[in-house]
Amino acid sequence: MIGSLRRLTPPQWLVSLFIIAILLGTGLLKLEFATTEPISWLDALFTAASAMTVTGLIVVDTGSVFTLFGEIVILFLIQLGGLGIMTFAVLIFLLLGKKIGLKERLLVKQALNQNALGGIVLLVKRLFFFSITVEMIAVILLSLTWGPEMGWGRGIYASIFHSISAFNNAGFSIWGDSLSAYVQHPVITVVISFLFIIGGLGFTVVFDSWKTKEFHHLSLHTKIMLVGTLVLNIVSVFIIFILEMNNPSTLGDLSDFGKWQASYFQAVTPRTAGFNTLSISELEHSTLFYIITLMFIGGGSASTAGGIKLTTALIIILATVSFLKEREYVVAFERNIRMHLVMRALSLVLLSIMVVIITVFLLNLTEQAPFLDILFESVSAFGTVGLSVGLTPELSAAGKWIIIVTMLVGKLGPLTFAFAFSKPVKDAVKYPSEDVFTG
């Protein structure tokens, strides 16, 4: 048994650790004092999986069904899933004075999606302290609003819960309508969106931007993430404003400033926070489809966000542009992108599309719901977003299992699962080339 565990590859270790953490969380959430009313084992498993994968899809109302203990369990799973199991494992090793070996460094490298082993332990330390610092600052800012509004005890707790949930891009809220009551509240929407944007950029981007003062000295990854995020967010704000400005159920009855504020929040939250200030089920179909696209793209690599990642999508776009221009290399900011990364991006996108297609196909067999609703919920689960048109609480038992698996695959990444269940093969023979007709 022990020998078998030692032979596990880093991807296999990550999958195993995530499943173990979800099962432990399920057991804790099933305890009698964790809920105000009995819930099934499947609902406890779904909630634990949603928290651990920092998704935010729910089958029972978090604020009314779970007690303080249950909500703290959910918060712990969110923090564990957002920063990564191996991040906490390394911190515990360091506190105990244990040596961080090669196996642990490989696991952290895999978990944080890093390219090299060098500086892994230092990155973990910075990651932990940065996360706690940002969350604490957000708690103070939110408490200044929620403290006087609902009493300081309740207000501080609400601030802690939503700060952790937002920074880790989880989307869990203790209110059934998420943040809809604060659709025109500038402090709440700005602080919450700042948290999940920073968490979704990726820690390497944040650290690189912090220590590098001039844009042209930034790494290529950081440049692509910053420019791509800025452009995509601005474009998305205008698109959602235009699509929803005359919808009386969403933007129609808001003030002019409120329309732009709500458009901004709903434009940035699909990547992949899961909070909402507008009723998702009341959005226009065109808006829902655009949000599906944003959820599929997701945030940044080495971040708390999900999806295929913005850099992956941009590499595919850049590769397509290079092909159409008949360029030999894929170029961004006067740097060549290695063909290995292009192939990795292509593989990731194809596997991700396959996961979504399979999820949609299976849910169409198990659920009686409109196709767009099923597609929305499937991509939300895969992108670990947590936005919902209301289908998730109505899922059948089979549908819940399908979404659980999709959330787990989406969080760890299709490539991690592919590597976990496949063995690398090195070509012993190099064969002659031959063309195949395409297009």
Side-chain angles (χ1 to χ4, degrees), residues 4 56 61 71 74 78 89 93 107 122 134 202 278 282 287 299 321 323 329 351 389 393 401 425 439:
S4 299
D61 183 65
E71 290 176 2
I74 291 173
I78 290 172
F93 269 54
L107 284 169
L122 179 60
V134 171
L278 300 175
E282 300 291 342
T287 308
V321 171
F323 175 78
Y329 302 104
L351 288 172
V389 291
W401 277 107
V425 177

mmCIF file of all heavy atoms in Angstrom, residues 4 56 61 71 74 78 89 93 107 122 134 202 278 282 287 299 321 323 329 351 389 393 401 425 439:
data_model
loop_
_atom_site.group_PDB
_atom_site.id
_atom_site.type_symbol
_atom_site.label_atom_id
_atom_site.label_comp_id
_atom_site.label_asym_id
_atom_site.label_seq_id
_atom_site.Cartn_x
_atom_site.Cartn_y
_atom_site.Cartn_z
ATOM 1 N N SER A 4 2.785 1.587 -3.154
ATOM 2 C CA SER A 4 1.950 2.057 -4.258
ATOM 3 C C SER A 4 1.765 3.565 -4.205
ATOM 4 O O SER A 4 1.789 4.251 -5.231
ATOM 5 C CB SER A 4 0.574 1.365 -4.204
ATOM 6 O OG SER A 4 0.720 -0.036 -4.329
ATOM 7 N N GLY A 56 -18.740 27.323 -6.169
ATOM 8 C CA GLY A 56 -19.817 28.166 -5.665
ATOM 9 C C GLY A 56 -21.200 27.727 -6.076
ATOM 10 O O GLY A 56 -22.191 28.347 -5.671
ATOM 11 N N ASP A 61 -29.314 26.221 0.290
ATOM 12 C CA ASP A 61 -28.936 27.589 0.616
ATOM 13 C C ASP A 61 -27.911 27.612 1.742
ATOM 14 O O ASP A 61 -28.147 27.084 2.830
ATOM 15 C CB ASP A 61 -30.176 28.390 1.026
ATOM 16 C CG ASP A 61 -29.843 29.844 1.298
ATOM 17 O OD1 ASP A 61 -29.437 30.548 0.357
ATOM 18 O OD2 ASP A 61 -29.956 30.263 2.466
ATOM 19 N N GLU A 71 -20.622 26.602 8.020
ATOM 20 C CA GLU A 71 -20.083 27.660 7.167
ATOM 21 C C GLU A 71 -18.571 27.786 7.324
ATOM 22 O O GLU A 71 -17.864 28.065 6.348
ATOM 23 C CB GLU A 71 -20.769 28.987 7.507
ATOM 24 C CG GLU A 71 -22.229 29.029 7.078
ATOM 25 C CD GLU A 71 -22.933 30.303 7.496
ATOM 26 O OE1 GLU A 71 -22.271 31.182 8.091
ATOM 27 O OE2 GLU A 71 -24.138 30.431 7.230
ATOM 28 N N ILE A 74 -17.014 25.137 5.264
ATOM 29 C CA ILE A 74 -17.038 25.559 3.864
ATOM 30 C C ILE A 74 -15.921 26.566 3.588
ATOM 31 O O ILE A 74 -15.209 26.475 2.578
ATOM 32 C CB ILE A 74 -18.414 26.159 3.502
ATOM 33 C CG1 ILE A 74 -19.486 25.057 3.504
ATOM 34 C CG2 ILE A 74 -18.372 26.853 2.139
ATOM 35 C CD1 ILE A 74 -20.897 25.572 3.326
ATOM 36 N N ILE A 78 -12.773 26.243 1.042
ATOM 37 C CA ILE A 78 -12.521 27.268 0.020
ATOM 38 C C ILE A 78 -11.074 27.734 0.071
ATOM 39 O O ILE A 78 -10.391 27.827 -0.958
ATOM 40 C CB ILE A 78 -13.479 28.460 0.214
ATOM 41 C CG1 ILE A 78 -14.910 28.067 -0.146
ATOM 42 C CG2 ILE A 78 -13.033 29.655 -0.637
ATOM 43 C CD1 ILE A 78 -15.944 29.135 0.194
ATOM 44 N N ALA A 89 0.391 22.191 2.947
ATOM 45 C CA ALA A 89 1.261 21.096 3.380
ATOM 46 C C ALA A 89 2.698 21.598 3.557
ATOM 47 O O ALA A 89 3.363 21.265 4.553
ATOM 48 C CB ALA A 89 1.219 19.962 2.358
ATOM 49 N N PHE A 93 4.938 21.756 6.998
ATOM 50 C CA PHE A 93 6.281 21.174 7.032
ATOM 51 C C PHE A 93 7.291 22.187 7.571
ATOM 52 O O PHE A 93 8.147 21.869 8.398
ATOM 53 C CB PHE A 93 6.701 20.709 5.632
ATOM 54 C CG PHE A 93 6.340 19.287 5.334
ATOM 55 C CD1 PHE A 93 5.038 18.853 5.477
ATOM 56 C CD2 PHE A 93 7.293 18.373 4.907
ATOM 57 C CE1 PHE A 93 4.690 17.544 5.202
ATOM 58 C CE2 PHE A 93 6.963 17.061 4.630
ATOM 59 C CZ PHE A 93 5.646 16.644 4.779
ATOM 60 N N LEU A 107 5.195 18.337 -6.386
ATOM 61 C CA LEU A 107 3.759 18.466 -6.178
ATOM 62 C C LEU A 107 3.329 19.924 -6.178
ATOM 63 O O LEU A 107 2.310 20.287 -6.760
ATOM 64 C CB LEU A 107 3.352 17.785 -4.862
ATOM 65 C CG LEU A 107 3.291 16.251 -4.893
ATOM 66 C CD1 LEU A 107 3.153 15.696 -3.482
ATOM 67 C CD2 LEU A 107 2.126 15.790 -5.756
ATOM 68 N N LEU A 122 9.858 29.613 -1.479
ATOM 69 C CA LEU A 122 9.711 31.055 -1.297
ATOM 70 C C LEU A 122 8.380 31.541 -1.871
ATOM 71 O O LEU A 122 7.698 32.388 -1.267
ATOM 72 C CB LEU A 122 10.874 31.788 -1.956
ATOM 73 C CG LEU A 122 10.852 33.323 -1.866
ATOM 74 C CD1 LEU A 122 10.876 33.781 -0.421
ATOM 75 C CD2 LEU A 122 12.019 33.917 -2.644
ATOM 76 N N VAL A 134 -4.226 40.506 1.898
ATOM 77 C CA VAL A 134 -5.278 41.054 1.040
ATOM 78 C C VAL A 134 -6.651 40.784 1.641
ATOM 79 O O VAL A 134 -7.526 41.666 1.676
ATOM 80 C CB VAL A 134 -5.184 40.470 -0.386
ATOM 81 C CG1 VAL A 134 -6.401 40.874 -1.211
ATOM 82 C CG2 VAL A 134 -3.917 40.941 -1.065
ATOM 83 N N GLY A 202 -3.563 35.677 -10.935
ATOM 84 C CA GLY A 202 -2.470 34.730 -10.716
ATOM 85 C C GLY A 202 -1.379 35.359 -9.882
ATOM 86 O O GLY A 202 -1.041 36.533 -10.061
ATOM 87 N N LEU A 278 -26.961 40.954 -10.370
ATOM 88 C CA LEU A 278 -28.154 40.869 -11.205
ATOM 89 C C LEU A 278 -28.659 39.433 -11.193
ATOM 90 O O LEU A 278 -27.882 38.498 -11.035
ATOM 91 C CB LEU A 278 -27.848 41.288 -12.647
ATOM 92 C CG LEU A 278 -27.331 42.718 -12.878
ATOM 93 C CD1 LEU A 278 -26.963 42.906 -14.338
ATOM 94 C CD2 LEU A 278 -28.361 43.748 -12.439
ATOM 95 N N GLU A 282 -32.709 36.100 -15.229
ATOM 96 C CA GLU A 282 -33.456 37.148 -15.921
ATOM 97 C C GLU A 282 -32.657 37.794 -17.048
ATOM 98 O O GLU A 282 -33.171 38.656 -17.755
ATOM 99 C CB GLU A 282 -33.879 38.234 -14.926
ATOM 100 C CG GLU A 282 -34.777 37.752 -13.795
ATOM 101 C CD GLU A 282 -36.156 37.348 -14.278
ATOM 102 O OE1 GLU A 282 -36.539 37.753 -15.392
ATOM 103 O OE2 GLU A 282 -36.841 36.615 -13.539
ATOM 104 N N THR A 287 -26.945 37.565 -23.588
ATOM 105 C CA THR A 287 -26.031 37.849 -22.484
ATOM 106 C C THR A 287 -25.554 36.559 -21.836
ATOM 107 O O THR A 287 -24.370 36.425 -21.510
ATOM 108 C CB THR A 287 -26.724 38.730 -21.424
ATOM 109 O OG1 THR A 287 -27.288 39.878 -22.057
ATOM 110 C CG2 THR A 287 -25.733 39.169 -20.356
ATOM 111 N N GLY A 299 -9.778 32.697 -15.695
ATOM 112 C CA GLY A 299 -8.796 33.679 -15.240
ATOM 113 C C GLY A 299 -7.388 33.339 -15.677
ATOM 114 O O GLY A 299 -7.159 32.902 -16.804
ATOM 115 N N VAL A 321 -3.639 33.816 -35.812
ATOM 116 C CA VAL A 321 -3.230 35.018 -36.551
ATOM 117 C C VAL A 321 -1.902 34.776 -37.267
ATOM 118 O O VAL A 321 -1.731 35.147 -38.439
ATOM 119 C CB VAL A 321 -3.113 36.223 -35.597
ATOM 120 C CG1 VAL A 321 -2.488 37.416 -36.313
ATOM 121 C CG2 VAL A 321 -4.483 36.601 -35.047
ATOM 122 N N PHE A 323 -0.710 31.934 -38.304
ATOM 123 C CA PHE A 323 -0.945 31.021 -39.426
ATOM 124 C C PHE A 323 -1.553 31.759 -40.611
ATOM 125 O O PHE A 323 -1.136 31.558 -41.764
ATOM 126 C CB PHE A 323 -1.865 29.885 -38.987
ATOM 127 C CG PHE A 323 -2.252 28.957 -40.101
ATOM 128 C CD1 PHE A 323 -1.372 27.990 -40.560
ATOM 129 C CD2 PHE A 323 -3.494 29.066 -40.716
ATOM 130 C CE1 PHE A 323 -1.719 27.140 -41.608
ATOM 131 C CE2 PHE A 323 -3.856 28.223 -41.749
ATOM 132 C CZ PHE A 323 -2.967 27.258 -42.195
ATOM 133 N N TYR A 329 6.652 31.913 -36.753
ATOM 134 C CA TYR A 329 6.603 31.837 -35.302
ATOM 135 C C TYR A 329 5.360 32.542 -34.762
ATOM 136 O O TYR A 329 4.788 33.417 -35.417
ATOM 137 C CB TYR A 329 7.850 32.488 -34.679
ATOM 138 C CG TYR A 329 9.150 31.878 -35.139
ATOM 139 C CD1 TYR A 329 9.963 32.537 -36.069
ATOM 140 C CD2 TYR A 329 9.577 30.650 -34.652
ATOM 141 C CE1 TYR A 329 11.159 31.982 -36.500
ATOM 142 C CE2 TYR A 329 10.770 30.084 -35.076
ATOM 143 C CZ TYR A 329 11.559 30.752 -35.994
ATOM 144 O OH TYR A 329 12.733 30.190 -36.414
ATOM 145 N N LEU A 351 -9.422 19.246 -24.961
ATOM 146 C CA LEU A 351 -9.882 18.425 -23.845
ATOM 147 C C LEU A 351 -10.995 19.123 -23.068
ATOM 148 O O LEU A 351 -11.965 18.475 -22.636
ATOM 149 C CB LEU A 351 -8.713 18.104 -22.909
ATOM 150 C CG LEU A 351 -7.682 17.101 -23.420
ATOM 151 C CD1 LEU A 351 -6.486 17.033 -22.470
ATOM 152 C CD2 LEU A 351 -8.301 15.716 -23.581
ATOM 153 N N VAL A 389 -28.309 29.656 -13.391
ATOM 154 C CA VAL A 389 -29.620 30.143 -13.822
ATOM 155 C C VAL A 389 -30.726 29.515 -12.989
ATOM 156 O O VAL A 389 -31.916 29.678 -13.278
ATOM 157 C CB VAL A 389 -29.860 29.840 -15.321
ATOM 158 C CG1 VAL A 389 -28.948 30.675 -16.191
ATOM 159 C CG2 VAL A 389 -29.679 28.351 -15.614
ATOM 160 N N PRO A 393 -29.930 23.626 -8.063
ATOM 161 C CA PRO A 393 -30.717 23.097 -6.934
ATOM 162 C C PRO A 393 -31.784 22.095 -7.354
ATOM 163 O O PRO A 393 -32.276 21.331 -6.518
ATOM 164 C CB PRO A 393 -31.364 24.365 -6.349
ATOM 165 C CG PRO A 393 -30.493 25.484 -6.783
ATOM 166 C CD PRO A 393 -30.013 25.091 -8.145
ATOM 167 N N TRP A 401 -24.102 14.199 -9.476
ATOM 168 C CA TRP A 401 -22.838 13.461 -9.629
ATOM 169 C C TRP A 401 -22.067 13.958 -10.854
ATOM 170 O O TRP A 401 -20.837 14.101 -10.820
ATOM 171 C CB TRP A 401 -23.110 11.970 -9.752
ATOM 172 C CG TRP A 401 -23.288 11.272 -8.440
ATOM 173 C CD1 TRP A 401 -24.444 10.804 -7.904
ATOM 174 C CD2 TRP A 401 -22.244 10.956 -7.493
ATOM 175 N NE1 TRP A 401 -24.204 10.237 -6.667
ATOM 176 C CE2 TRP A 401 -22.871 10.306 -6.398
ATOM 177 C CE3 TRP A 401 -20.874 11.171 -7.465
ATOM 178 C CZ2 TRP A 401 -22.147 9.866 -5.295
ATOM 179 C CZ3 TRP A 401 -20.157 10.727 -6.362
ATOM 180 C CH2 TRP A 401 -20.790 10.086 -5.295
ATOM 181 N N VAL A 425 4.919 8.364 -23.234
ATOM 182 C CA VAL A 425 5.518 7.444 -24.200
ATOM 183 C C VAL A 425 6.550 8.205 -25.030
ATOM 184 O O VAL A 425 6.231 9.242 -25.624
ATOM 185 C CB VAL A 425 4.448 6.835 -25.128
ATOM 186 C CG1 VAL A 425 5.114 5.945 -26.176
ATOM 187 C CG2 VAL A 425 3.429 6.051 -24.322
ATOM 188 N N GLY A 439 -9.101 21.163 -43.576
ATOM 189 C CA GLY A 439 -9.901 22.327 -43.963
ATOM 190 C C GLY A 439 -10.865 22.051 -45.086
ATOM 191 O O GLY A 439 -10.950 20.969 -45.631
#
